[in-house]
Amino acid sequence: IVREREVGTMEQIRMSPIGSLAFVLGKTVPYFFISLFSSMSIVGLAMLMFDLPMRGSWATLLLAVSLFLVGALAFGLLISTIAETQQVAFQVALLTSYLPTLMLSGFIFPITSMPPFLQAVTYIVPARYFLIALRAIVLKGVGVAAFWQDLVALAVFATVILTLASLRLRRQWA
């Protein structure tokens, strides 16, 4: 969306008969499927190259990855409705998603070894919930009953951020 504004095609799109929902779907659905394919390919390659066990359900893994991706794409959409340039959008995305995801998700540092303040902050990082679900599915092979709260948290995050991005875009669209 930022690129469309920078290039000047956003005005042409706004004047066309396409609605904001169709525009958002057209911009995000291809990236969703590309990201989903990439994610599942990474899991498959990890199984082949590193003997990663797959103890859980592929359908449950697909659900967890899909929820995480919808939230991530919605967050990118929200950032692109706020940022004025692609460079600003990239920097905002780096500071608000990549770094917190890397540092506060439990991927590199165990959450239990973090100071109490940072442990509290991790509850707003969606990757925390995704990693819990991912480990439960792939490594432990447990059912959804063991981590349903994490899937709900991912769904809530995706819904809230998608709603905010849609409202922001609709406001710009009008």
Side-chain angles (χ1 to χ4, degrees):
I1 291 176
V2 174
R3 184 174 181 278
E4 298 289 352
R5 275 198 311 251
E6 281 183 346
V7 175
T9 55
M10 187 58 127
E11 291 302 317
Q12 293 173 349
I13 294 169
R14 286 177 53 196
M15 296 303 159
S16 70
I18 187 172
S20 61
L21 178 62
F23 176 71
V24 168
L25 289 175
K27 286 286 186 187
T28 56
V29 167
Y31 290 110
F32 172 79
F33 285 110
I34 290 167
S35 300
L36 189 61
F37 176 75
S38 297
S39 301
M40 299 312 272
S41 296
I42 289 168
V43 171
L45 286 172
M47 291 174 67
L48 288 173
M49 296 173 68
F50 304 113
D51 292 327
L52 177 73
M54 180 54 170
R55 296 191 172 112
S57 163
W58 281 97
T60 308
L61 178 63
L62 192 64
L63 172 67
V65 170
S66 295
L67 286 173
F68 183 71
L69 289 176
V70 169
L73 288 169
F75 193 66
L77 184 63
L78 179 62
I79 289 171
S80 71
T81 63
I82 295 168
E84 295 296 321
T85 65
Q86 290 182 70
Q87 186 177 11
V88 170
F90 177 76
Q91 290 173 348
V92 169
L94 186 68
L95 291 173
T96 59
S97 61
Y98 182 71
L99 290 176
T101 295
L102 198 61
M103 303 303 282
L104 299 175
S105 65
F107 179 69
I108 295 177
F109 306 109
I111 294 173
T112 54
S113 68
M114 296 178 187
F117 171 75
L118 287 181
Q119 287 183 23
V121 171
T122 65
Y123 286 102
I124 62 171
V125 177
R128 167 197 174 112
Y129 304 104
F130 176 65
L131 283 175
I132 291 170
L134 183 67
R135 289 173 179 146
I137 296 165
V138 175
L139 299 177
K140 298 176 185 174
V142 296
V144 175
F147 57 91
W148 67 269
Q149 300 95 337
D150 301 298
L151 295 179
V152 168
L154 288 172
V156 167
F157 174 79
T159 303
V160 167
I161 298 299
L162 196 54
T163 301
L164 289 174
S166 298
L167 291 174
R168 178 104 173 119
L169 185 63
R170 189 172 295 140
R171 197 173 88 200
Q172 288 179 351
W173 203 266

